[in-house]
Each structure stands twice: as structure tokens, then as C-alpha cells.
Amino acid sequence: MSVEVLRLEGIRKSFGSVKALKSASMTLREGEVVALLGDNGAGKSTLIKAISGVHPADGGAIYVRGEKATIRSARDAIELGIETIHQDTSLAPDLSIARNLFLGREPVKLPFLGVFAPIDFPLLRQAASTLLKRVGISKKLDADAAVNTLSGGERQSIAISRAMQFAAKVIILDEPTNNLGVEETHGVLRFVKEMRAAGHTVLFITHNIHHVFQVADRIIVMRRGEVVAEQTVGDTDLLSVEALIMGVDAATLAEQAKVH
């Protein structure tokens, strides 16, 4: 059994009278891709925000490599080795590729000046170019180009590269293939496989079940703020997963499919 990297026990979160998370528990292990599935309102996004420090949990416990952790901010999550790549908001569009790759971790001159230390731009550009080559983005990108000049798939590549660069233990991909073309989608799925091969743990949130069967090792299904099922990909099929998400019997769903 591989090493446990992240464990959630009874995570709860309410917004006013709405219980977005009733009691969500799951375990992620080193070097695996776990797909987190559920219909709109199932609690997936709220759970991700609790792990990434955007909306700290009201209750429950989070363990990172077996030790209890407190995540009250995005900085807490990053320092624990948890990087979240949101579909549209993970990059600063007006900054260069190089600045985005090293945002908050830029190499500096005169580091003793602390927050007033000037960025070492030549070193930043060199490090960014090296990383882009390693990642193998199809066309040659200028590290000084603004992110808002890139395609959706290239932006995802940059965001994923940043998470890989800083050796995140857990990389959370929130709907990473939304609004992407076929080629760009294949690129993102390839990155997911590469991250697993490099020993990273990936939590992959998507509505596209076909993508899940291409890259995931396990599937966790949420419904109404709770985890209701967990299965290895090899032990299930597309229809069974759809039935779990909807909360109906797979045979009933198969009958409905015949009618339509």
C-alpha cells in the first residue's frame, strides 16, 4: 500500500443555513490520480476550497502525511504541499509566463532586503525557459509573453508546470479540460499521467467521465455534501458511475437509456 499523503475526516462547511459539506471524508495516497465526481451542488467545489484554504472548514480534521494540519489560507495549503489549479483563476493574465511560473517565489537579488528585494529578471527568464522546455509545450513560447496571449490549453500547461516545479505533494485540478479543444485536452490528460509517474498525487475534478477512465486510478463520488461511494476504476464502468452520481440504480439507468 502506498503512502498516505492527505486524509480528510468529517469535513463540514455551512454558508448560513445551507450545509454545503455535511461530513466529507477521503484519503489520497502517493502517486495516484483520484477523480472527484458529483452533480452540481454535491459539495465538490466547497471541499476543494476547504483543502486549498479559500473557504476554511467549519469542522472535521485534515491530515498531511499523517500529521494533523491547519489550513486557514491558500498560503497554509501551499506550504503543506497542496497546489490547486482552478480552471480560470490560477494565473495572473496580465503578467508574463515567467512571472506566473514563479509567482510569489521569484528569484531575487539582494535577498536580505526581504519584501523589498528586486526580482532577478535574467535568472527568472532562464528558469522559466528551462521549465517550459521540460514540460514540452508544443510551440516555443516566449517566457516574457503575457499569459493573456495564450490559448486555454497553454494556460493550463503553465499552471500545471508551476505545480510540478514546486514539487507539490497534492495537485488539485478543478475542471481542467473545460472549454478546451481536443488537442489541448489530450495535453492536459497527458500532464496528469506525467504527474502520477513523477510521484505526485492528483485530485481531478471533472464532469467528463470519459476523461476519468483515461487517467484515474480511483473514483470518489459526492452527493449532497457527503462522500457516498469510492471505487477503483478497474472495478466499475461508465454506467455504474453515472448511476452513483445521480443516486439511482444502474439497471434503472440502463433501461432509461434503451427507451431514449
Side-chain angles (χ1 to χ4, degrees):
M1 183 66 74
S2 52
V3 177
E4 175 193 295
V5 180
L6 180 70
R7 177 162 38 102
L8 311 177
E9 289 186 353
I11 301 296
R12 300 188 307 279
K13 182 68 183 178
S14 295
F15 298 98
S17 60
V18 178
K19 289 184 179 177
L21 292 175
K22 292 173 188 168
S23 178
S25 303
M26 69 172 69
T27 300
L28 304 181
R29 298 182 189 90
E30 196 171 69
E32 70 169 352
V33 176
V34 177
L36 181 61
L37 305 178
D39 229 333
N40 291 334
K44 305 185 306 295
S45 294
T46 305
L47 186 64
I48 294 320
K49 285 171 181 169
I51 302 168
S52 58
V54 176
H55 291 316
D58 296 335
I62 298 174
Y63 296 86
V64 177
R65 292 199 179 271
E67 292 189 14
K68 196 167 184 180
T70 301
I71 301 177
R72 309 302 299 172
S73 68
R75 176 58 52 195
D76 288 344
I78 289 167
E79 286 176 358
L80 288 164
I82 300 166
E83 291 266 0
T84 304
I85 301 170
H86 299 288
Q87 202 251 318
D88 285 321
T89 58
S90 55
L91 300 177
D94 296 329
L95 293 180
S96 69
I97 292 172
R99 286 295 302 276
N100 269 283
L101 283 170
F102 294 90
L103 200 58
R105 305 172 173 114
E106 295 92 342
V108 295
K109 298 172 182 173
L110 312 175
F112 60 86
L113 292 174
V115 293
F116 299 106
I119 294 170
D120 187 337
F121 282 103
L123 184 57
L124 178 67
R125 276 192 288 271
Q126 183 188 345
S129 295
T130 301
L131 180 58
L132 289 171
K133 280 189 196 124
R134 199 187 100 209
V135 170
I137 293 171
S138 54
K139 68 176 184 182
K140 193 175 185 310
L141 293 175
D142 180 1
D144 287 328
V147 159
N148 58 18
T149 64
L150 304 181
S151 72
E154 286 164 348
R155 291 186 199 204
Q156 290 290 38
S157 302
I158 300 299
I160 293 168
S161 305
R162 185 173 65 193
M164 291 177 77
Q165 166 74 1
F166 294 103
K169 295 185 185 84
V170 178
I171 299 172
I172 300 170
L173 296 175
D174 189 5
E175 298 286 357
T177 57
N178 260 15
N179 306 320
L180 297 188
V182 174
E183 190 179 343
E184 292 176 334
T185 295
H186 281 304
V188 170
L189 297 177
R190 188 183 73 246
F191 278 125
V192 172
K193 291 174 185 172
E194 286 175 7
M195 283 187 281
R196 174 175 53 202
H200 300 280
T201 301
V202 181
L203 185 59
F204 181 43
I205 298 92
T206 183
H207 279 94
N208 192 314
I209 301 177
H210 294 281
H211 293 164
V212 169
F213 280 89
Q214 289 178 56
V215 297
D217 301 297
R218 279 194 298 133
I219 292 170
I220 291 174
V221 178
M222 290 187 73
R223 209 163 53 238
R224 295 177 185 165
E226 295 178 289
V227 172
V228 294
E230 182 180 326
Q231 293 187 325
T232 57
V233 168
D235 292 336
T236 189
D237 55 51
L238 199 130
L239 192 68
S240 300
V241 172
E242 285 183 340
L244 285 170
I245 290 169
M246 294 167 67
V248 298
D249 182 63
T252 306
L253 202 61
E255 281 302 315
Q256 288 174 353
K258 281 181 195 169
V259 171
H260 296 295

PDB file of all heavy atoms in Angstrom, residues 223-244:
ATOM      1  N   ARG A 223     -22.368  13.326  -3.006  1.00  0.00           N
ATOM      2  CA  ARG A 223     -23.759  13.688  -3.225  1.00  0.00           C
ATOM      3  C   ARG A 223     -24.256  14.387  -1.966  1.00  0.00           C
ATOM      4  O   ARG A 223     -24.043  13.895  -0.859  1.00  0.00           O
ATOM      5  CB  ARG A 223     -24.592  12.431  -3.523  1.00  0.00           C
ATOM      6  CG  ARG A 223     -25.784  12.688  -4.411  1.00  0.00           C
ATOM      7  CD  ARG A 223     -26.368  11.408  -5.029  1.00  0.00           C
ATOM      8  NE  ARG A 223     -26.688  10.376  -4.091  1.00  0.00           N
ATOM      9  CZ  ARG A 223     -26.168   9.146  -4.128  1.00  0.00           C
ATOM     10  NH1 ARG A 223     -25.296   8.813  -5.066  1.00  0.00           N
ATOM     11  NH2 ARG A 223     -26.505   8.247  -3.231  1.00  0.00           N
ATOM     12  N   ARG A 224     -24.847  15.559  -2.134  1.00  0.00           N
ATOM     13  CA  ARG A 224     -25.437  16.319  -1.025  1.00  0.00           C
ATOM     14  C   ARG A 224     -24.480  16.512   0.148  1.00  0.00           C
ATOM     15  O   ARG A 224     -24.828  16.295   1.313  1.00  0.00           O
ATOM     16  CB  ARG A 224     -26.722  15.650  -0.536  1.00  0.00           C
ATOM     17  CG  ARG A 224     -27.813  15.673  -1.602  1.00  0.00           C
ATOM     18  CD  ARG A 224     -29.052  14.967  -1.151  1.00  0.00           C
ATOM     19  NE  ARG A 224     -30.054  14.890  -2.203  1.00  0.00           N
ATOM     20  CZ  ARG A 224     -31.098  14.083  -2.173  1.00  0.00           C
ATOM     21  NH1 ARG A 224     -31.277  13.259  -1.155  1.00  0.00           N
ATOM     22  NH2 ARG A 224     -31.966  14.076  -3.164  1.00  0.00           N
ATOM     23  N   GLY A 225     -23.245  16.908  -0.188  1.00  0.00           N
ATOM     24  CA  GLY A 225     -22.298  17.285   0.863  1.00  0.00           C
ATOM     25  C   GLY A 225     -21.581  16.145   1.549  1.00  0.00           C
ATOM     26  O   GLY A 225     -20.887  16.347   2.551  1.00  0.00           O
ATOM     27  N   GLU A 226     -21.726  14.927   1.014  1.00  0.00           N
ATOM     28  CA  GLU A 226     -21.068  13.763   1.624  1.00  0.00           C
ATOM     29  C   GLU A 226     -20.435  12.885   0.553  1.00  0.00           C
ATOM     30  O   GLU A 226     -20.900  12.871  -0.597  1.00  0.00           O
ATOM     31  CB  GLU A 226     -22.077  12.929   2.421  1.00  0.00           C
ATOM     32  CG  GLU A 226     -22.662  13.638   3.614  1.00  0.00           C
ATOM     33  CD  GLU A 226     -23.698  12.768   4.336  1.00  0.00           C
ATOM     34  OE1 GLU A 226     -24.792  12.561   3.780  1.00  0.00           O
ATOM     35  OE2 GLU A 226     -23.389  12.301   5.442  1.00  0.00           O
ATOM     36  N   VAL A 227     -19.418  12.128   0.941  1.00  0.00           N
ATOM     37  CA  VAL A 227     -18.853  11.105   0.051  1.00  0.00           C
ATOM     38  C   VAL A 227     -19.745   9.874   0.163  1.00  0.00           C
ATOM     39  O   VAL A 227     -19.947   9.343   1.258  1.00  0.00           O
ATOM     40  CB  VAL A 227     -17.403  10.759   0.449  1.00  0.00           C
ATOM     41  CG1 VAL A 227     -16.895   9.555  -0.346  1.00  0.00           C
ATOM     42  CG2 VAL A 227     -16.486  11.965   0.209  1.00  0.00           C
ATOM     43  N   VAL A 228     -20.309   9.441  -0.976  1.00  0.00           N
ATOM     44  CA  VAL A 228     -21.262   8.332  -0.942  1.00  0.00           C
ATOM     45  C   VAL A 228     -20.708   7.043  -1.551  1.00  0.00           C
ATOM     46  O   VAL A 228     -21.277   5.965  -1.359  1.00  0.00           O
ATOM     47  CB  VAL A 228     -22.586   8.698  -1.659  1.00  0.00           C
ATOM     48  CG1 VAL A 228     -23.303   9.805  -0.906  1.00  0.00           C
ATOM     49  CG2 VAL A 228     -22.339   9.109  -3.115  1.00  0.00           C
ATOM     50  N   ALA A 229     -19.602   7.144  -2.294  1.00  0.00           N
ATOM     51  CA  ALA A 229     -19.038   5.934  -2.907  1.00  0.00           C
ATOM     52  C   ALA A 229     -17.576   6.155  -3.246  1.00  0.00           C
ATOM     53  O   ALA A 229     -17.130   7.276  -3.490  1.00  0.00           O
ATOM     54  CB  ALA A 229     -19.807   5.577  -4.179  1.00  0.00           C
ATOM     55  N   GLU A 230     -16.854   5.044  -3.254  1.00  0.00           N
ATOM     56  CA  GLU A 230     -15.438   5.073  -3.639  1.00  0.00           C
ATOM     57  C   GLU A 230     -15.122   3.747  -4.321  1.00  0.00           C
ATOM     58  O   GLU A 230     -15.428   2.680  -3.782  1.00  0.00           O
ATOM     59  CB  GLU A 230     -14.572   5.245  -2.383  1.00  0.00           C
ATOM     60  CG  GLU A 230     -13.104   5.337  -2.672  1.00  0.00           C
ATOM     61  CD  GLU A 230     -12.288   5.517  -1.398  1.00  0.00           C
ATOM     62  OE1 GLU A 230     -12.768   6.168  -0.453  1.00  0.00           O
ATOM     63  OE2 GLU A 230     -11.170   4.980  -1.365  1.00  0.00           O
ATOM     64  N   GLN A 231     -14.552   3.821  -5.536  1.00  0.00           N
ATOM     65  CA  GLN A 231     -14.268   2.599  -6.284  1.00  0.00           C
ATOM     66  C   GLN A 231     -12.978   2.752  -7.081  1.00  0.00           C
ATOM     67  O   GLN A 231     -12.621   3.872  -7.481  1.00  0.00           O
ATOM     68  CB  GLN A 231     -15.419   2.300  -7.260  1.00  0.00           C
ATOM     69  CG  GLN A 231     -16.720   1.940  -6.574  1.00  0.00           C
ATOM     70  CD  GLN A 231     -17.785   1.491  -7.565  1.00  0.00           C
ATOM     71  OE1 GLN A 231     -17.845   1.995  -8.668  1.00  0.00           O
ATOM     72  NE2 GLN A 231     -18.629   0.551  -7.164  1.00  0.00           N
ATOM     73  N   THR A 232     -12.310   1.624  -7.319  1.00  0.00           N
ATOM     74  CA  THR A 232     -11.180   1.666  -8.241  1.00  0.00           C
ATOM     75  C   THR A 232     -11.748   1.641  -9.657  1.00  0.00           C
ATOM     76  O   THR A 232     -12.789   1.013  -9.906  1.00  0.00           O
ATOM     77  CB  THR A 232     -10.229   0.468  -8.039  1.00  0.00           C
ATOM     78  OG1 THR A 232     -10.977  -0.734  -8.202  1.00  0.00           O
ATOM     79  CG2 THR A 232      -9.596   0.483  -6.656  1.00  0.00           C
ATOM     80  N   VAL A 233     -11.070   2.330 -10.568  1.00  0.00           N
ATOM     81  CA  VAL A 233     -11.574   2.454 -11.944  1.00  0.00           C
ATOM     82  C   VAL A 233     -11.736   1.086 -12.607  1.00  0.00           C
ATOM     83  O   VAL A 233     -12.700   0.847 -13.333  1.00  0.00           O
ATOM     84  CB  VAL A 233     -10.635   3.375 -12.771  1.00  0.00           C
ATOM     85  CG1 VAL A 233     -10.945   3.292 -14.260  1.00  0.00           C
ATOM     86  CG2 VAL A 233     -10.792   4.817 -12.304  1.00  0.00           C
ATOM     87  N   GLY A 234     -10.803   0.165 -12.321  1.00  0.00           N
ATOM     88  CA  GLY A 234     -10.852  -1.159 -12.932  1.00  0.00           C
ATOM     89  C   GLY A 234     -12.042  -2.000 -12.491  1.00  0.00           C
ATOM     90  O   GLY A 234     -12.382  -2.991 -13.135  1.00  0.00           O
ATOM     91  N   ASP A 235     -12.691  -1.600 -11.377  1.00  0.00           N
ATOM     92  CA  ASP A 235     -13.795  -2.394 -10.837  1.00  0.00           C
ATOM     93  C   ASP A 235     -15.172  -1.821 -11.158  1.00  0.00           C
ATOM     94  O   ASP A 235     -16.177  -2.263 -10.591  1.00  0.00           O
ATOM     95  CB  ASP A 235     -13.660  -2.506  -9.308  1.00  0.00           C
ATOM     96  CG  ASP A 235     -12.470  -3.346  -8.905  1.00  0.00           C
ATOM     97  OD1 ASP A 235     -12.040  -4.188  -9.722  1.00  0.00           O
ATOM     98  OD2 ASP A 235     -11.949  -3.154  -7.795  1.00  0.00           O
ATOM     99  N   THR A 236     -15.211  -0.817 -12.042  1.00  0.00           N
ATOM    100  CA  THR A 236     -16.513  -0.212 -12.340  1.00  0.00           C
ATOM    101  C   THR A 236     -16.603   0.132 -13.827  1.00  0.00           C
ATOM    102  O   THR A 236     -15.688  -0.159 -14.600  1.00  0.00           O
ATOM    103  CB  THR A 236     -16.745   1.040 -11.458  1.00  0.00           C
ATOM    104  OG1 THR A 236     -18.101   1.472 -11.612  1.00  0.00           O
ATOM    105  CG2 THR A 236     -15.795   2.174 -11.813  1.00  0.00           C
ATOM    106  N   ASP A 237     -17.733   0.713 -14.219  1.00  0.00           N
ATOM    107  CA  ASP A 237     -17.892   1.132 -15.612  1.00  0.00           C
ATOM    108  C   ASP A 237     -18.652   2.449 -15.645  1.00  0.00           C
ATOM    109  O   ASP A 237     -19.149   2.930 -14.622  1.00  0.00           O
ATOM    110  CB  ASP A 237     -18.640   0.063 -16.427  1.00  0.00           C
ATOM    111  CG  ASP A 237     -19.981  -0.295 -15.810  1.00  0.00           C
ATOM    112  OD1 ASP A 237     -20.771   0.637 -15.524  1.00  0.00           O
ATOM    113  OD2 ASP A 237     -20.252  -1.498 -15.599  1.00  0.00           O
ATOM    114  N   LEU A 238     -18.736   3.014 -16.831  1.00  0.00           N
ATOM    115  CA  LEU A 238     -19.296   4.346 -17.002  1.00  0.00           C
ATOM    116  C   LEU A 238     -20.733   4.439 -16.497  1.00  0.00           C
ATOM    117  O   LEU A 238     -21.094   5.375 -15.782  1.00  0.00           O
ATOM    118  CB  LEU A 238     -19.222   4.736 -18.483  1.00  0.00           C
ATOM    119  CG  LEU A 238     -19.342   6.218 -18.776  1.00  0.00           C
ATOM    120  CD1 LEU A 238     -18.219   6.678 -19.685  1.00  0.00           C
ATOM    121  CD2 LEU A 238     -20.663   6.539 -19.432  1.00  0.00           C
ATOM    122  N   LEU A 239     -21.555   3.454 -16.840  1.00  0.00           N
ATOM    123  CA  LEU A 239     -22.967   3.474 -16.437  1.00  0.00           C
ATOM    124  C   LEU A 239     -23.110   3.415 -14.916  1.00  0.00           C
ATOM    125  O   LEU A 239     -23.926   4.135 -14.330  1.00  0.00           O
ATOM    126  CB  LEU A 239     -23.714   2.309 -17.091  1.00  0.00           C
ATOM    127  CG  LEU A 239     -25.238   2.363 -17.005  1.00  0.00           C
ATOM    128  CD1 LEU A 239     -25.787   3.516 -17.849  1.00  0.00           C
ATOM    129  CD2 LEU A 239     -25.855   1.047 -17.461  1.00  0.00           C
ATOM    130  N   SER A 240     -22.298   2.574 -14.268  1.00  0.00           N
ATOM    131  CA  SER A 240     -22.363   2.448 -12.798  1.00  0.00           C
ATOM    132  C   SER A 240     -21.975   3.754 -12.119  1.00  0.00           C
ATOM    133  O   SER A 240     -22.589   4.150 -11.120  1.00  0.00           O
ATOM    134  CB  SER A 240     -21.430   1.332 -12.324  1.00  0.00           C
ATOM    135  OG  SER A 240     -21.809   0.099 -12.899  1.00  0.00           O
ATOM    136  N   VAL A 241     -20.963   4.431 -12.672  1.00  0.00           N
ATOM    137  CA  VAL A 241     -20.520   5.707 -12.091  1.00  0.00           C
ATOM    138  C   VAL A 241     -21.603   6.770 -12.262  1.00  0.00           C
ATOM    139  O   VAL A 241     -21.903   7.522 -11.333  1.00  0.00           O
ATOM    140  CB  VAL A 241     -19.186   6.167 -12.737  1.00  0.00           C
ATOM    141  CG1 VAL A 241     -18.820   7.570 -12.280  1.00  0.00           C
ATOM    142  CG2 VAL A 241     -18.073   5.189 -12.389  1.00  0.00           C
ATOM    143  N   GLU A 242     -22.223   6.822 -13.442  1.00  0.00           N
ATOM    144  CA  GLU A 242     -23.311   7.776 -13.668  1.00  0.00           C
ATOM    145  C   GLU A 242     -24.463   7.522 -12.689  1.00  0.00           C
ATOM    146  O   GLU A 242     -25.063   8.463 -12.162  1.00  0.00           O
ATOM    147  CB  GLU A 242     -23.815   7.674 -15.109  1.00  0.00           C
ATOM    148  CG  GLU A 242     -22.878   8.306 -16.122  1.00  0.00           C
ATOM    149  CD  GLU A 242     -23.431   8.250 -17.547  1.00  0.00           C
ATOM    150  OE1 GLU A 242     -24.321   7.415 -17.799  1.00  0.00           O
ATOM    151  OE2 GLU A 242     -22.965   9.035 -18.381  1.00  0.00           O
ATOM    152  N   ALA A 243     -24.750   6.246 -12.445  1.00  0.00           N
ATOM    153  CA  ALA A 243     -25.831   5.890 -11.511  1.00  0.00           C
ATOM    154  C   ALA A 243     -25.495   6.353 -10.088  1.00  0.00           C
ATOM    155  O   ALA A 243     -26.362   6.867  -9.368  1.00  0.00           O
ATOM    156  CB  ALA A 243     -26.058   4.380 -11.534  1.00  0.00           C
ATOM    157  N   LEU A 244     -24.220   6.207  -9.685  1.00  0.00           N
ATOM    158  CA  LEU A 244     -23.791   6.657  -8.354  1.00  0.00           C
ATOM    159  C   LEU A 244     -23.928   8.172  -8.222  1.00  0.00           C
ATOM    160  O   LEU A 244     -24.371   8.680  -7.189  1.00  0.00           O
ATOM    161  CB  LEU A 244     -22.329   6.252  -8.102  1.00  0.00           C
ATOM    162  CG  LEU A 244     -22.074   4.779  -7.804  1.00  0.00           C
ATOM    163  CD1 LEU A 244     -20.589   4.478  -7.831  1.00  0.00           C
ATOM    164  CD2 LEU A 244     -22.669   4.400  -6.441  1.00  0.00           C
TER     165      LEU A 244
END
